[in-house]
């Protein structure tokens, strides 16, 4: 049974390295659970976090799109109501513009602020992922490069993870980076199993 689980884990891992998906990570964790060794448990923990990362990125992307569409549609709705009111009452057009303009601008401002708040909240996802990956990279580095001083180890990890924490880095670049780092950490955790 363990040999079958190991073969399945190996095949699934190759797919994950090529193109990670939540479904493949789910399958990998099941095989790692059957294998049951300490290296398998470490790899399974990374697979679980990687799965959560990919699901979070999918959800974040869908939520961002919905938030932006909400702002656009809210603005369009306000504009259409204001336009219709002015067309119905041409004589009082200036008065209506002023009366409907203030609430319309408030509505647009609220939609924009809602989208901005979403961006801040979405950025916090990378903070949590960086925290987890820092721990994993430290542990992997301590095993594979025991010659590094703690300062050197920390500096090398910082170089890799600092862009995740930098809000000036585009969301797509941070998402790509976090996926690449997860791939590397998963590979490091799977190596003892694949060498066996």
């Amino acid at each position: 049974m363990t040999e079958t689980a190991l073969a399945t884990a190996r095949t699934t891992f190759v797919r994950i390295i090529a193109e990670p998906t939540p479904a493949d990570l789910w399958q990998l964790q099941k095989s790692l659970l059957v294998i049951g060794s300490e290296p398998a448990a470490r790899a399974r923990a990374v697979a679980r976090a990687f799965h959560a990362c990919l699901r979070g990125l999918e959800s974040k992307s869908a939520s961002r799109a919905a938030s932006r569409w909400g702002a656009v549609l809210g603005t369009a709705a306000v504009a259409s109501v204001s336009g219709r009111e002015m067309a119905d009452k041409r004589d009082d057009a200036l008065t209506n513009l002023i009366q409907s303009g203030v609430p319309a601008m408030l509505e647009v401002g609220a939609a924009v602020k809602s989208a901005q708040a979403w961006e801040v909240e979405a950025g916090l996802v990378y903070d949590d992922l960086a925290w987890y990956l820092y721990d994993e990279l430290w542990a992997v580095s301590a095993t594979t490069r025991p010659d590094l001083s703690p300062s050197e180890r920390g500096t090398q990890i910082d170089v890799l993870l600092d862009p995740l924490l930098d809000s000036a880095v585009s969301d797509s670049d941070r998402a790509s980076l976090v996926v690449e780092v997860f791939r590397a950490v998963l590979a490091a955790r799977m190596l003892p199993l694949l060498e066996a």
Side-chain angles (χ1 to χ4, degrees):
M1 180 82 159
T2 302
E3 288 301 316
T4 303
L6 188 56
T8 302
R10 182 175 281 118
T11 302
T12 306
F13 173 70
V14 168
R15 284 195 312 265
I16 290 167
I17 292 301
E19 187 174 339
T21 65
D24 280 338
L25 286 158
W26 178 255
Q27 291 306 313
L28 178 63
Q29 70 86 23
K30 293 193 303 188
S31 296
L32 293 170
L33 194 59
V34 171
I35 294 168
S37 65
E38 183 61 31
R42 282 191 219 109
R44 187 170 182 266
V46 173
R48 181 182 188 279
F50 195 2
H51 179 272
C53 168
L54 291 179
R55 298 291 291 177
L57 291 174
E58 287 175 351
S59 173
K60 190 163 103 58
S61 177
S63 177
R64 168 183 279 145
S67 177
R68 288 180 177 168
W69 267 110
V72 167
L73 293 174
T75 302
V78 168
S80 71
V81 168
S82 298
R84 188 174 59 241
E85 287 175 357
M86 287 190 306
D88 290 345
K89 302 175 184 176
R90 287 189 183 114
D91 296 336
D92 296 325
L94 183 57
T95 304
N96 285 338
L97 178 60
I98 292 169
Q99 289 175 346
S100 65
V102 173
M105 291 309 296
L106 291 173
E107 179 71 26
V108 170
V112 168
K113 286 298 179 188
S114 176
Q116 288 173 342
W118 180 93
E119 292 290 340
V120 170
E121 186 176 325
L124 297 177
V125 169
Y126 294 111
D127 291 355
D128 291 339
L129 294 171
W131 186 283
Y132 175 82
L133 288 168
Y134 197 98
D135 287 346
E136 285 297 319
L137 288 168
W138 188 278
V140 167
S141 174
T143 302
T144 59
R145 296 284 316 274
D147 57 306
L148 290 177
S149 71
S151 175
E152 292 170 316
R153 189 178 326 284
T155 299
Q156 289 185 4
I157 295 169
D158 287 343
V159 166
L160 185 60
L161 294 183
D162 280 352
L164 285 180
L165 303 172
D166 186 352
S167 62
V169 174
S170 74
D171 186 64
S172 62
D173 287 344
R174 292 198 287 175
S176 295
L177 175 61
V178 78
V179 168
E180 292 306 315
V181 174
F182 260 113
R183 281 179 173 154
V185 170
L186 183 60
R189 292 302 192 185
M190 288 291 294
L191 190 60
L193 298 168
L194 300 176
E195 290 178 338

